Amino acid sequence: MSAELDLDLGRLVGKRSAGVIAKHLGLTTVGALLNYFPRRYLDRGELTPISEVPLDEDVTLIARVVSSSTRTMKARRGTITDVVISDDDGTPGLRMVGGSDYRGKVPGTLKVSFFNGYRAKAELLQGRRALFSGKVTRYGGLLGLTNPDFLLLDEDPFVQGKDPESLALMPIPVYPATGKLTSWAIQKVVEALLQTADLDALPDPVPPAVAAREKFLPVAEAYRLIHAPESTADWQRARDRFRYQEALVLQAALARRRAQLAAEEATARRPVADGLLAAFDRQLPFTLTAGQAAIGKTLSTELAQDGPMNRLLQGEVGSGKTVVALRAMLQVVDAGGQAALLAPTEVLAAQHFESIRRTLGPLSRDGLLGGFGNAAVQVTLLTRSMSTAARKQALLDAASGTAGIVIGTHALLSDNVSFYDLGLIVVDEQHRFGVEQRDALRAKASKPPHLLVMTATPIPRTVAMTVFGDLETSVLDELPAGRAPISTHVVGLAENPGWAGRIWSRSREEIDAGHQVYVVCPKIGTDDDGDFSPGETEPTAADLEENGTARELASVTAVVEQLQQEPALAGVPLAPLHGRQDPAVKSAAMADFTANRTKLLVSTTVIEVGVDVHNATLMVILDADRFGISQLHQLRGRVGRGGHPGTCLLVTTLEPGHPSRRRLDAVASTTDGFELSQEDLKLRREGDILGASQSGGRSTLKLLRVLEHEDIIARAREDAQKIVGSDPSLQQHPQLAQAIDGYLNPEKEAFLERG
Ligand code: ADP
Ligand code: MG
């Protein structure tokens, strides 16, 4: 890192200020504080005249102190300082821009009260001009402000000596503040830093050619203007530069990673003329879609090269990703290597195991049953819930190479799992596996294996570029022909309470017709907050809403009890499935449902991804408003798979018009996953897009908004690609390299790992 950025803050702003900043913001270096940008800027034109202050709203106003008095409270200890302020009439020189010009009008007055306001008592003396910011309350029948933030304007070093015209244009930066440390206190330290720091010594990660093309401000100027702008245009220009810079550093980090991965040497797994893959293709009961065939070709070519494949396969729910992956696995097995398939849950791993063996038919060989000898591949399941003996055997088969395809969960990552010759790793339903986990698997092969990551959540291009930027991307955008349509309905119990019973008689009809039903609940038991065990489900948009609900949400246990008493379902075999069950119980529940022994499955979102029971035709999602859009879309993709039309009922007790019902309406209105994911992202928060809710952290992106700044991200990616392409070690771009290292501090690395 640059010496200047790394300097201890205390050396430039004094020990006391630095101490306060370190204590409340955790920032200790010059660079850290310089990069602590204002969250927004107040336009002085947004100032509210006192005569117009609205009750219960946050206001910012400039006023002059008319009088001030301090008294001791009677009932408790402490003092109250009452300050009467009046509209600043513009003398000397400050007038409103944009807003109403009230010069000449009768100035309004407002009472401002401070409890134990020692600073207010000392500073808000008669005649002084100050900026106040706070919430308007009613106090003793009169409108007023209680304990507002205030800033003396006459003392502001940036205000002093400025001519009135330019002062009126000067935006007021607002920093992300904490309860203890106000924006203004931060601003003061930053101002001091701007005076003392050698801004010209700061590194510029943006190559000069790019900076010239984009007409960026020089770094020093940009830092000055983002913190102390004299006009709106100032901070906008500064922000544009830092925003692009952020995108470039991130994309360069990803490009460098791609280059490093590509430079590694992998074992080429060339297709063979008459192997398992050829036999598999001959026995396939359907024709591959054009997309499956095209992507299959790409994968085949990449597997045959001696650099590792690193590819993301995106595809709508039900688009047939598994077959694509299986064909790639067979090519690797044909070439003498092994393939591992990693699933996010045990349920899904077991499902894959069953369905892959079924799809392979005679081409799959069991450890015990023998089979077609070399003309077949052994598919092995390795999970924690297996008996010790079975597990031992599976471990042995993986290590000896007997198992050609090994399917499992995170358990495959543990140290005691080894492979004879791991050639390909397939990660299914990606968003739960990070770079670090992919690396752990990679380390299981002597040479880096090929990697295929699959995700069913349609991701906008820029999110893919940012979160999965170290992978090349393929998209499966068509569904296999003959897919039965899914009709989705919002069942609003608030307006139609009678529909509650109708749901279960509808389920009965489905079951009597020989089909099966999923019932999904947001919670496991009546005493918990939801089934948010990692790897199975994640907090939804609904959870992030502030108006937490007092209503009792449907839980798996309560619903199972209720349905056992439900006359419409009398005699129907039903069972619970959730993440807190013993793994063996879980797989048994899933197996019973798959085998059509259980007709109705009451579960949490453990069935969200990948579960493939063709006979299921109805999905009832209770308290559907508790789920996010993409989750609902994933969930309903579980029905309508076997050529029978599917139905999805989104049940909610929320009133029509409640904002959370918008999500349900969106899901009911279209089955286009891409459209939904755009809608979803609009309704969600940024941090959530990047998965911050999973790691508990906030979004580490400062100025970049993945949805809004698609063009910036795309341009930065192109630039980064060019830079890293011609200078892979970034020797010619030391400042960019430094910025990447700074970016990849442990906290930031977590960001990449979420990919
Ligand atoms: P997803 O992409 O959601 O993982 P799957 O791989 O589970 O989808 O495929 C869903 C279903 O579609 C499976 O039953 C699979 O056998 C079937 N399928 C896949 N490809 C085709 C195809 N080209 N034509 C017909 N059915 C297909
Ligand atoms: Mg799948």
Side-chain angles (χ1 to χ4, degrees):
M1 281 224 97
S2 127
E4 188 69 17
L5 286 175
D6 268 347
L7 279 185
D8 185 55
L9 197 50
R11 288 183 41 192
L12 294 193
V13 299
K15 273 218 171 60
R16 255 191 60 198
S17 295
V20 171
I21 295 288
K23 181 167 169 220
H24 295 291
L25 303 179
L27 309 175
T28 55
T29 62
V30 168
L33 187 58
L34 281 178
N35 285 307
Y36 194 78
F37 297 150
R39 183 160 33 111
R40 62 190 204 99
Y41 300 83
L42 285 179
D43 185 343
R44 280 170 212 250
E46 287 174 25
L47 302 178
T48 321
I50 285 180
S51 52
E52 292 170 16
V53 293
L55 183 63
D56 281 338
E57 273 182 41
D58 287 309
V59 295
T60 299
L61 42 91
I62 287 180
R64 193 175 288 282
V65 177
V66 176
S67 67
S68 167
S69 62
T70 297
R71 58 200 157 88
T72 306
M73 280 187 277
K74 289 189 191 106
R76 10 182 215 134
R77 275 158 51 139
T79 61
I80 294 182
T81 300
D82 287 320
V83 178
V84 177
I85 58 174
S86 106
D87 273 329
D88 183 51
D89 62 359
T91 51
L94 198 99
R95 66 177 167 78
M96 310 294 287
V97 237
S100 55
D101 187 337
Y102 48 86
R103 210 187 296 224
K105 290 185 194 161
V106 181
T109 58
L110 196 67
K111 188 155 99 174
V112 187
S113 306
F114 297 88
F115 295 104
N116 295 329
Y118 305 113
R119 192 168 72 89
K121 184 181 171 197
E123 295 185 355
L124 293 176
L125 304 177
Q126 188 186 354
R128 289 235 167 129
R129 225 156 43 91
L131 181 77
F132 296 85
S133 180
K135 198 185 197 118
V136 181
T137 52
R138 198 185 293 276
Y139 184 61
L142 293 170
L143 292 190
L145 296 171
T146 305
N147 291 335
D149 286 334
F150 69 92
L151 177 69
L152 282 187
L153 287 178
D154 310 299
E155 288 192 347
D156 183 341
F158 277 88
V159 171
Q160 274 169 7
K162 288 270 176 348
D163 72 87
E165 290 298 316
S166 59
L167 192 59
L169 291 172
M170 230 167 80
I172 302 162
V174 180
Y175 287 89
T178 68
K180 292 268 161 56
L181 192 61
T182 64
S183 169
W184 292 325
I186 298 167
Q187 190 187 354
K188 271 208 163 129
V189 183
V190 172
E191 280 167 2
L193 181 59
L194 290 175
Q195 308 290 325
T196 48
D198 181 4
L199 297 181
D200 290 320
L202 296 175
D204 185 356
V206 180
V210 175
R213 181 196 72 203
E214 301 278 337
K215 302 192 174 59
F216 283 147
L217 292 170
V219 170
E221 186 74 352
Y223 274 115
R224 212 171 54 69
L225 295 186
I226 202 155
H227 290 293
E230 296 191 356
S231 69
T232 302
D234 278 354
W235 64 255
Q236 284 173 341
R237 287 191 69 196
R239 188 202 50 192
D240 286 350
R241 138 160 316 245
F242 287 120
R243 180 174 287 153
Y244 175 85
Q245 185 174 318
E246 184 172 355
L248 182 70
V249 171
L250 175 58
Q251 291 301 331
L254 293 165
R256 198 174 61 169
R257 188 179 157 87
R258 275 196 307 275
Q260 280 161 356
L261 292 175
E264 288 178 338
E265 208 178 295
T267 307
R269 312 285 177 174
R270 297 193 179 82
V272 300
D274 208 17
L276 286 164
L277 177 54
F280 177 76
D281 283 346
R282 278 196 300 273
Q283 68 165 48
L284 206 59
F286 47 72
T287 322
L288 295 177
T289 64
Q292 284 174 319
I295 293 170
K297 213 171 218 159
T298 307
L299 300 187
S300 176
T301 308
E302 288 184 348
L303 290 172
Q305 290 167 352
D306 26 68
M309 171 175 90
N310 284 291
R311 189 159 284 276
L312 171 71
L313 172 55
Q314 274 183 256
E316 182 64 85
V317 182
S319 57
K321 295 183 290 294
T322 316
V323 172
V324 173
L326 183 54
R327 294 184 67 250
M329 293 194 266
L330 290 175
Q331 174 170 333
V332 169
V333 172
D334 275 339
Q338 293 168 287
L341 172 58
L342 214 56
T345 64
E346 298 228 335
V347 168
L348 194 54
Q351 279 270 308
H352 270 312
F353 176 65
E354 295 300 336
S355 82
I356 283 177
R357 283 202 316 175
R358 208 169 45 229
T359 316
L360 284 171
L363 299 176
S364 141
R365 168 164 58 86
D366 237 45
L368 297 171
L369 299 176
F372 278 54
N374 284 336
V377 55
Q378 179 177 320
V379 184
T380 296
L381 179 67
L382 179 54
T383 62
R384 263 184 279 254
S385 58
M386 291 177 4
S387 71
T388 316
R391 213 180 124 74
K392 258 202 185 124
Q393 187 60 49
L395 284 170
L396 213 64
D397 288 351
S400 68
T402 312
I405 295 177
V406 182
I407 301 174
T409 60
H410 309 67
L412 286 187
L413 300 172
S414 64
D415 284 339
N416 62 0
V417 181
S418 63
F419 292 85
Y420 178 71
D421 180 14
L422 182 57
L424 169 66
I425 297 169
V426 179
V427 180
D428 193 17
E429 309 299 354
Q430 139 69 24
H431 52 276
R432 281 98 193 235
F433 283 97
V435 167
E436 193 184 47
Q437 284 157 314
R438 304 205 285 259
D439 284 347
L441 259 185
R442 277 200 187 99
K444 297 206 171 287
S446 46
K447 279 186 183 177
H450 301 281
L451 175 70
L452 176 65
V453 172
M454 305 196 288
T455 172
T457 317
I459 313 165
R461 206 167 65 97
T462 44
V463 179
M465 276 193 266
T466 311
V467 183
F468 307 108
D470 62 336
L471 304 172
E472 309 294 335
T473 304
S474 299
V475 180
L476 258 186
D477 51 11
E478 67 193 306
L479 294 183
R483 192 51 61 89
I486 301 171
S487 51
T488 305
H489 310 278
V490 178
V491 179
L493 296 182
E495 67 271 29
N496 292 301
W499 285 358
R502 180 74 190 111
I503 295 167
W504 308 123
S505 48
R506 179 80 181 71
S507 302
R508 182 59 185 244
E509 287 160 22
E510 217 56 52
I511 291 163
D512 285 345
H515 299 308
Q516 288 165 278
V517 178
Y518 290 108
V519 177
V520 180
C521 309
K523 291 203 310 176
I524 296 177
T526 44
D527 53 349
D528 60 20
D529 301 327
D531 180 19
F532 296 143
S533 47
E536 288 194 337
T537 177
E538 59 200 72
T540 65
D543 290 303
L544 299 173
E545 269 167 27
E546 271 155 32
N547 51 344
T549 46
R551 68 205 156 102
E552 184 64 35
L553 297 173
S555 69
V556 174
T557 34
V559 170
V560 164
E561 273 173 35
Q562 178 204 336
L563 295 188
Q564 275 161 348
Q565 312 299 322
E566 170 62 45
L569 293 175
V572 168
L574 54 91
L577 175 71
H578 59 74
R580 234 182 269 153
Q581 282 167 323
D582 190 80
V585 174
K586 231 182 336 191
S587 359
M590 205 55 232
D592 282 343
F593 192 68
T594 308
N596 199 2
R597 288 189 290 270
T598 305
K599 301 291 180 182
L600 185 149
L601 191 68
V602 183
S603 74
T604 53
T605 53
V606 288
I607 59 151
E608 177 186 348
V609 286
V611 171
D612 193 21
V613 176
H614 286 196
N615 194 43
T617 50
L618 175 64
M619 168 157 297
V620 178
I621 304 177
L622 299 174
D623 289 316
D625 49 273
R626 298 297 289 174
F627 300 97
I629 285 182
S630 59
Q631 241 180 338
L632 292 170
H633 182 58
Q634 290 271 311
L635 280 167
R636 73 174 157 183
R638 304 301 116 207
V639 293
R641 302 201 133 206
H644 315 289
T647 305
C648 175
L649 303 181
L650 305 174
V651 184
T652 178
T653 55
L654 293 181
E655 302 286 336
H658 187 288
S660 288
R661 275 189 63 162
R662 278 220 311 272
R663 286 200 303 276
L664 305 188
D665 295 335
V667 174
S669 71
T670 177
T671 49
D672 181 334
F674 194 83
E675 203 179 297
L676 283 174
S677 87
Q678 294 280 4
E679 184 66 21
D680 191 14
L681 293 169
K682 267 190 254 156
L683 296 174
R684 278 159 171 255
R685 291 183 216 173
E686 192 78 13
D688 214 27
I689 298 171
L690 299 175
S693 63
Q694 290 173 48
S695 68
R698 330 170 248 189
S699 166
T700 47
L701 293 182
K702 276 189 185 165
L703 297 173
L704 210 53
R705 295 290 166 265
V706 184
L707 283 183
E708 277 168 53
H709 305 130
E710 174 161 352
D711 55 327
I712 295 176
I713 294 173
R715 245 181 313 147
R717 182 176 164 98
E718 219 169 276
D719 286 337
Q721 191 73 43
K722 257 186 232 149
I723 294 166
V724 173
S726 65
D727 180 18
S729 59
L730 293 179
Q731 246 163 0
Q732 314 299 318
H733 300 84
Q735 305 197 330
L736 179 57
Q738 282 167 9
I740 293 175
D741 294 342
Y743 201 87
L744 296 184
N745 66 31
E747 188 203 331
K748 299 282 170 56
E749 209 143 25
F751 163 71
L752 285 183
E753 279 160 18
R754 283 196 294 274

